[in-house]
Amino acid sequence: MQLLEERIRRDGNIKPGNVLKVDSFLNHQMDVELFNEMGKEFRRLFPSEKINKILTIEASGIGIACSAAQYFHVPVVFAKKSQSINLDGEQYVTRIESFTHKRIYDVIVSKKYLGKDDHVLIIDDFLANGCAVLGLIDLIKNAGAHVEGVGIAIEKGFQKGGSLLRDQGIRVESLAIVERMNDETGEIVFRH
Ligand code: 5GP
């Protein structure tokens, strides 16, 4: 998606350790008009009428998921990161290792909001090693629901998440795929 690529080029900052900072329009301050265009594009890429729910993970996925939901006319559920899980059987739980924070979270979704009749589109801001998305898939499988696809704003194509998911036959659509980036020169190359 050209609009997003241009914005990453203009306002993105490459940090050591393969981290792309996009705090000025996506991860801290949010450009809602851009989100809206991204939401529209996700609908175009996933025209399936079966999708009846969008699942994301707090916090950065929520804004993008909500923008998309306006075009799918479905609810958004966000998985909650939790320090102490209340194992009362009322929720699905999985473990996710955070790429940016280098720690492990328990992540939960209430059984009230995910079930066997759900056809779920996963949406998130970044795809790196795939831990976040694999965790969400685990929650969906635990619920007996169906994964209809994965929509990502920015995929770092040089990390393993994209191929891990696509090799499992999961449809992954990323609005911008960074082929490589260099924190010393500031160079960013996108895959097309
Ligand atoms: P994964 O679980 O695929 O390794 O990483 C995805 C998650 O880590 C995303 O939800 C995102 O919040 C965060 N993340 C991974 N790489 C980056 C990055 O380069 N920049 C930012 N801002 N977040 C990232």
Side-chain angles (χ1 to χ4, degrees):
M1 183 186 179
Q2 199 178 343
L3 194 65
L4 180 60
E5 289 183 7
E6 282 168 6
R7 195 61 182 273
I8 295 167
R9 253 189 228 294
R10 198 180 84 194
D11 294 331
N13 284 303
I14 307 161
K15 300 287 175 197
N18 283 333
V19 173
L20 178 61
K21 275 266 187 192
V22 286
D23 278 5
S24 67
F25 63 94
L26 201 147
N27 284 136
H28 194 11
Q29 177 168 261
M30 295 182 285
D31 183 336
V32 177
E33 285 180 11
L34 174 66
F35 280 23
N36 195 41
E37 292 305 316
M38 287 163 43
K40 229 185 270 179
E41 183 66 2
F42 281 131
R43 174 80 264 196
R44 193 183 69 76
L45 293 165
F46 292 101
S48 168
E49 292 300 325
K50 276 204 252 173
I51 294 166
N52 72 332
K53 201 157 278 186
I54 291 176
L55 179 66
T56 187
I57 180 164
E58 67 177 350
S60 298
I62 296 175
I64 301 166
C66 289
S67 301
Q70 297 183 100
Y71 294 95
F72 287 85
H73 305 286
V74 301
V76 173
V77 176
F78 66 93
K80 295 188 176 196
K81 290 174 183 162
S82 167
Q83 306 284 5
S84 55
I85 4 163
N86 175 12
L87 284 172
D88 55 7
E90 299 296 312
Q91 54 212 8
Y92 302 110
V93 184
T94 195
R95 293 222 137 154
I96 292 180
E97 188 180 340
S98 159
F99 176 80
T100 34
H101 300 111
K102 303 273 180 270
R103 39 174 299 203
I104 291 172
Y105 293 95
D106 285 316
V107 172
I108 59 148
V109 168
S110 167
K111 289 186 177 174
K112 278 190 274 191
Y113 306 124
L114 202 56
K116 62 176 176 37
D117 296 330
D118 285 325
H119 291 259
V120 184
L121 175 65
I122 294 172
I123 286 196
D124 203 7
D125 59 341
F126 271 89
L127 178 60
N129 289 323
C131 300
V133 170
L134 287 169
L136 294 176
I137 290 172
D138 191 43
L139 292 172
I140 293 168
K141 290 197 169 145
N142 286 343
H146 310 270
V147 180
E148 291 296 326
V150 178
I152 298 290
I154 306 173
E155 175 177 343
K156 292 187 290 180
F158 51 86
Q159 289 182 256
K160 63 175 193 237
S163 44
L164 215 82
L165 295 167
R166 292 182 182 103
D167 287 351
Q168 291 184 30
I170 295 165
R171 175 146 180 228
V172 182
E173 297 286 353
S174 300
L175 303 184
I177 304 181
V178 178
E179 186 69 55
R180 58 176 192 273
M181 59 187 199
N182 186 318
D183 62 317
E184 280 164 14
T185 61
E187 181 199 38
I188 301 185
V189 176
F190 292 101
R191 185 188 299 168
H192 291 119

